[in-house]
Amino acid sequence: MKRFSLLIIATLLLTPLFSEVYKTGVTASYYAEDFHGKRTSNGERFNMNDYTCAHKSLPFNTVLKVTNLANGKTCEVRVNDRGPFVASREIDLSKAAAIKLGMIGSGTTKVKLEIIKKGANTKISQQTAACASKIMAKLSGGFPSNSKTSANSKKPANIAPGTYWDIQLGAFSSKENAKEFARKVSHAGFKNIVLQTSASKGITRVAIKKVPASKVTDTQNKLTAAGFTEQTLRQRKD
């Protein structure tokens, strides 16, 4: 009887105090190698092998149970970053979480989110959530044609009307890393992504191809808002 009572107590202690359905039928994506080791919005180093996630507004250290509605697989993740900055997506998962949910192949999937433990609504949580909200407002409202481009972009002095441009976003010695980065750009909602491999230099470039001159500035601004700040413009010859 005593052993049975101890078992009940242990079960109660290990069971979360509540499980609140936050949202269901929303889209999850994931991020991996290209962001591994970089700072997250709460100041940690992103580790793609940890069970963490990015969310636009939930307090940091909130623990979520994520259920892949396509196959029923589940995992628990902790919020330590902001994003994804795509209106149609609710949560960006670490690679480890994506593997456990069986969504690596598809890249995105519909999920149910349940709050297991709510994180403290600290000042940094509030500030970063407000910043994420502003970014999403800009993305949904569009950008004026005279908006500034990224400080890191290399823009020619003149973009002649009627010309077409490739916007390079990264160059990688590993083709697999280039593919992973291209997947991330695609998950952010961008199209016409191309891998350009230089056999002589041993690098693979990731670029958005054939952007009309009239849309170059707008595309660069949207890329910057989504976190792709390293940009190099190259005019197409064809």
Side-chain angles (χ1 to χ4, degrees):
M1 184 67 181
K2 184 177 180 181
R3 181 178 296 178
F4 181 70
S5 299
L6 289 173
L7 181 61
I8 292 175
I9 293 171
T11 301
L12 290 172
L13 289 173
L14 292 172
T15 301
L17 295 178
F18 68 94
S19 176
E20 170 193 347
V21 176
Y22 177 64
K23 288 186 179 181
T24 189
V26 293
T27 301
S29 52
Y30 76 93
Y31 57 135
E33 280 84 357
D34 197 64
F35 294 86
H36 186 67
K38 294 185 178 180
R39 292 286 183 187
T40 61
S41 297
N42 75 342
E44 296 178 14
R45 293 282 183 185
F46 174 63
N47 185 340
M48 66 181 184
N49 300 311
D50 287 343
Y51 289 93
T52 58
C53 69
H55 191 272
K56 291 184 275 288
S57 60
L58 284 172
F60 292 135
N61 295 318
T62 293
V63 178
L64 295 167
K65 178 182 177 182
V66 185
T67 302
N68 185 344
L69 297 178
N71 57 24
K73 294 183 178 181
T74 67
C75 74
E76 291 185 10
V77 293
R78 178 177 60 88
V79 178
N80 73 339
D81 204 1
R82 291 296 178 223
F85 297 112
V86 181
S88 61
R89 293 172 189 172
E90 181 70 22
I91 190 170
D92 221 0
L93 301 164
S94 65
K95 187 175 183 179
I99 291 172
K100 192 164 185 179
L101 291 172
M103 56 173 285
I104 289 290
S106 60
T108 61
T109 191
K110 295 294 184 182
V111 297
K112 177 173 72 173
L113 302 178
E114 298 172 79
I115 296 177
I116 302 299
K117 176 186 175 184
K118 194 75 172 282
N121 197 20
T122 60
K123 186 175 182 179
I124 189 171
S125 282
Q126 295 175 33
Q127 289 175 337
T128 53
C131 182
S133 178
K134 289 179 181 178
I135 291 173
M136 291 308 299
K138 286 183 178 180
L139 288 174
S140 61
F143 291 84
S145 59
N146 62 349
S147 293
K148 291 182 179 179
T149 58
S150 163
N152 295 323
S153 64
K154 300 172 184 177
K155 183 178 177 181
N158 180 44
I159 299 180
T163 57
Y164 289 86
W165 300 78
D166 288 349
I167 305 177
Q168 180 183 309
L169 302 175
F172 303 83
S173 57
S174 165
K175 192 168 185 177
E176 288 306 310
N177 287 347
K179 288 180 179 179
E180 188 65 49
F181 183 69
R183 186 196 296 270
K184 180 67 179 177
V185 178
S186 176
H187 286 177
F190 296 97
K191 299 179 180 179
N192 298 325
I193 302 160
V194 64
L195 299 181
Q196 302 166 331
T197 301
S198 172
S200 60
K201 295 182 179 180
I203 61 172
T204 300
R205 298 183 178 90
V206 178
I208 295 180
K209 67 176 182 179
K210 209 169 185 179
V211 180
S214 60
K215 295 184 178 180
V216 166
T217 299
D218 182 63
T219 302
Q220 284 194 291
N221 281 324
K222 288 180 178 178
L223 285 164
T224 299
F228 304 107
T229 57
E230 296 294 333
Q231 303 166 18
T232 302
L233 284 176
R234 289 189 171 86
Q235 185 174 356
R236 294 184 67 91
K237 303 299 182 182
D238 54 356

